[in-house]
Amino acid sequence: MTDLLQLPSKPCALRVMPQPADANIHGDVFGGWIMAQVDIAGSIPASRRANGRVATIAVNSFLFKQPVFVGDLLSFYADIVKTGNTSVTVSVEVYAQRMSLAQEVVKVTEAILTYVATDSDRRPRALPVLD
Ligand SMILES: CC(C)(COP(=O)(O)OP(=O)(O)OC[C@H]1O[C@@H](n2cnc3c(N)ncnc32)[C@H](O)[C@@H]1OP(=O)(O)O)[C@@H](O)C(=O)NCCC(=O)NCCS
C-alpha cells in the first residue's frame, strides 16, 4: 500500500523532474539516475560544511522504497548526520509528487552517504573548525 504524506516543511536541497531519457520504455526511472541526483543533493550540505571541494567516499546505505516515474516532481532533503576529522556523513530523503490531481506525495528513496573534504591535490583535508 502507498503511504500518503506531506512534503517535509524544511528546505529541500534539490528539486528535479525526471525526463523520458532518464527512464526505461515503461516510464520507470533508472536507479542509477536517482543515485546520481542523491549524490548531488548530499554533496550540497557536505560542501558547505567543508567550505569547498568534497569527494564521495562511501554510499553507506541506499533504499529504493517506491518506484519513480517520468514526470514525478522529486524533492531531495539532505541533512548532515555525522562529521569526523575530514568526513561528512549526510542523510538524503527523496519524496515524489506524482503527476496527478490527487497531489499524492510518496517517499521514494532514502540513503546515507559519506563525503571527504579534499584539497587541490585531491587529498583529504581537515574540516574547518566551527565557531
Ligand atoms: C576521498 C579520498 C580522497 C579519501 O582518501 P583516503 O586516503 O581513502 O581517505 P582516508 O582513509 O584518510 O579517510 C578519509 C575519511 O573517510 C572516512 N572513510 C574511509 N573509508 C570509509 C568508508 N568505507 N565509509 C565511510 N567513511 C570512510 C575515514 O573514516 C576518514 O574520515 P575522518 O577523517 O572523518 O575520520 C579517496 O578515497 C578518493 O579519492 N576516493 C575516490 C573519490 C571519488 O572519486 N568519488 C566519486 C565516486 S566514483
Side-chain angles (χ1 to χ4, degrees):
M1 195 178 112
T2 301
D3 293 332
L4 287 177
L5 299 171
Q6 299 285 320
L7 287 179
S9 52
K10 60 189 175 184
C12 69
L14 185 68
R15 192 162 275 158
V16 65
M17 182 179 283
Q19 301 298 305
D22 307 316
N24 65 21
I25 56 171
H26 305 292
D28 304 321
V29 172
F30 298 125
W33 182 89
I34 299 167
M35 294 181 88
Q37 310 307 311
V38 165
D39 192 16
I40 293 167
S43 75
I44 294 170
S47 299
R48 286 204 182 110
R49 178 61 187 85
N51 196 27
R53 175 183 201 146
V54 295
T56 312
I57 191 165
V59 178
N60 305 299
S61 66
F62 211 105
L63 177 63
F64 298 105
K65 289 172 72 75
Q66 295 283 339
V68 174
F69 307 119
V70 170
D72 285 353
L73 181 57
L74 300 180
S75 299
F76 296 71
Y77 296 85
D79 297 294
I80 294 174
V81 292
K82 187 179 157 194
T83 55
N85 179 37
T86 66
S87 67
V88 183
T89 299
V90 180
S91 164
V92 181
E93 296 184 326
V94 189
Y95 292 80
Q97 290 168 275
R98 304 292 195 202
M99 184 60 76
S100 68
L101 288 176
Q103 298 278 311
E104 186 186 2
V105 174
V106 182
K107 186 176 185 181
V108 291
T109 298
E110 51 191 47
I112 307 278
L113 302 93
T114 301
Y115 302 84
V116 174
T118 52
D119 62 20
S120 55
D121 294 323
R122 297 189 171 81
R123 301 227 175 239
R125 86 183 142 82
L127 296 174
V129 176
L130 294 178
D131 294 334

